[in-house]
Amino acid sequence: MIQIEQLTKRYGAFTAVDEITFTARPGRVTGFLGPNGAGKSTAMRMMVGLTTPTSGTATVLGRPYRALPTPSRHVGVMLDATAQHAGRTGRETLLLAAIMAGMSRGQVDHALERVGLTAREADRRVGNYSLGMRQRLGLAGALIGNPQVLVLDEPANGLDPAGIRWMRGLLRDFAADGGTVLLSSHLLHEVEQIAQDLVMIGRGRIVAHGTKEELLSGTGTVVDSPDRGRLGTLLDAAGWKPQARPEGGFVAEASAEDIARQALSEQLLITELRTAGGGGLEEMFLQLTADDAREGVTGHERSAA
Ligand SMILES: Nc1ncnc2c1ncn2[C@@H]1O[C@H](COP(=O)(O)OP(=O)(O)OP(=O)(O)O)[C@@H](O)[C@H]1O
Ligand SMILES: [Mg+2]
């Protein structure tokens, strides 16, 4: 269990993480989703005691990370797989991690096997590893203390499709055995495939969170017509609160059948009609990304002026 309450990090006047509150529960994989620069890594660093919060709290298994005895026996952490010591071999890296966790040497082979690194690969220097191999090694290091909680920052980054499928299985099994997994990603579809719960963050703030089903099963219906003006009036008159979509048409709060019947009775041609489904979440995410991109451009112009 990871409990985050009102967690905030400011760097001078800039707020990187803004009063976020959520819980990652045991037995579930929680996806921490947000565009680049949203504050995911900063929040995760605060969870594992590497960055001091400006305010708010983060506890793992009921205690602040720093108060856990032998933390790696409770929480497996992988924040930046590229930051591993380049001169050591994979095996040496894991051996050190095992010693620090107070685990036996035998755990090293077990961990290597669990992440699919061969003995030959384990004896190569980490500096010569591909990004995917580093991710596997990082995951092995996180698992070595046999923890109940995993905190993983962009673990799928650099993995090929087979690697992503493998990792999904590993994390699902870990959660199915009662473990808590929190993983970040800037890719909605990647998180959708792995996580059961989602927390979406944009510019330091949580913009949506809940189970994947709750978030993806948007209640609205997408509808479009060549005569958008009449369609909007019809939906509005029926009290279905039409929202114009950037790509055209509307999302309305009514079933597809109710909308179809109303349009038929008013002889209005409908060219698109479907349940909004996951579109709501995807659109929210794209909107976040677009807003941030625009803001980046403005900031650039300002500093150049
Ligand atoms: N030490 C720091 N000093 C100043 N600003 C920082 C510092 N660390 C992070 N930031 C800023 O905080 C914001 C959030 O950064 P963070 O790395 O947490 O984002 P992220 O969601 O992990 O992004 P990405 O998907 O690119 O990894 C960014 O604007 C970043 O520049
Ligand atoms: Mg990050």
Side-chain angles (χ1 to χ4, degrees):
M1 172 103 98
I2 304 174
Q3 279 173 300
I4 309 296
E5 268 176 53
Q6 302 281 308
L7 195 63
T8 300
K9 182 67 187 181
R10 287 195 200 96
Y11 292 107
F14 178 75
T15 307
V17 175
D18 199 356
E19 301 199 339
I20 65 170
T21 297
F22 70 89
T23 300
R25 292 179 282 158
R28 322 261 308 167
V29 177
T30 302
F32 193 29
L33 178 70
N36 295 136
K40 305 178 297 293
S41 297
T42 306
M44 287 176 132
R45 291 176 61 83
M46 288 193 279
M47 291 172 209
V48 300
L50 290 172
T51 292
T52 311
T54 305
S55 58
T57 56
T59 62
V60 186
L61 301 164
R63 298 198 215 183
Y65 180 88
R66 284 182 192 168
L68 293 168
T70 330
S72 57
R73 293 288 278 267
H74 303 281
V75 192
V77 179
M78 182 174 77
L79 293 186
D80 184 358
T82 61
Q84 299 169 95
H85 195 300
R88 294 190 187 115
T89 67
R91 187 182 297 281
E92 287 163 354
T93 305
L94 289 184
L95 190 57
L96 279 173
I99 291 167
M100 286 195 291
M103 304 296 285
S104 72
R105 282 171 164 263
Q107 286 301 311
V108 172
D109 286 321
H110 179 62
L112 284 169
E113 198 179 316
R114 218 167 153 191
V115 302
L117 284 174
T118 65
R120 184 185 287 248
E121 287 168 335
D123 290 329
R124 282 169 56 188
R125 285 179 198 277
V126 173
N128 299 330
Y129 276 21
S130 69
L131 180 54
M133 288 166 73
R134 285 176 204 232
Q135 294 285 19
R136 287 172 190 260
L137 181 66
L139 204 48
L143 290 166
I144 205 141
N146 201 16
Q148 302 102 281
V149 177
L150 287 177
V151 176
L152 311 171
D153 196 5
E154 306 266 0
N157 201 7
L159 292 179
D160 54 30
I164 290 177
R165 178 184 288 183
W166 156 80
M167 191 188 65
R168 196 190 312 158
L170 189 147
L171 299 182
R172 285 249 178 86
D173 290 349
F174 184 91
D177 287 343
T180 304
V181 180
L182 179 67
L183 70 91
S184 72
S185 176
H186 57 276
L187 300 173
L188 174 61
H189 292 292
E190 185 181 282
V191 169
E192 245 180 74
Q193 288 184 17
I194 302 179
Q196 287 123 10
D197 293 330
L198 293 176
V199 177
M200 194 189 279
I201 180 174
R203 272 178 271 159
R205 287 176 171 267
I206 290 181
V207 293
H209 95 279
T211 67
K212 185 168 65 183
E213 289 72 25
E214 279 165 10
L215 291 178
L216 292 181
S217 74
T219 47
T221 298
V222 174
V223 55
D224 202 3
S225 163
D227 190 347
R228 285 197 183 132
R230 262 185 76 207
L231 175 62
T233 310
L234 175 155
L235 295 168
D236 208 30
W240 292 332
K241 303 189 177 111
Q243 302 275 339
R245 302 167 75 233
E247 59 272 62
F250 300 90
V251 179
E253 293 179 14
S255 71
E257 185 177 334
D258 285 350
I259 293 174
R261 284 186 189 285
Q262 191 63 29
L264 183 65
S265 77
E266 298 195 19
Q267 300 273 302
L268 179 70
L269 176 66
I270 296 291
T271 47
E272 187 177 4
L273 186 67
R274 63 185 166 83
T275 308
L281 195 63
E282 175 133 45
E283 271 156 34
M284 191 189 285
F285 191 61
L286 285 174
Q287 192 65 49
L288 275 179
T289 315
D291 287 353
D292 284 349
R294 270 202 297 280
E295 214 167 60
V297 169
T298 319
H300 217 78
E301 281 166 359
R302 261 196 226 114
S303 62

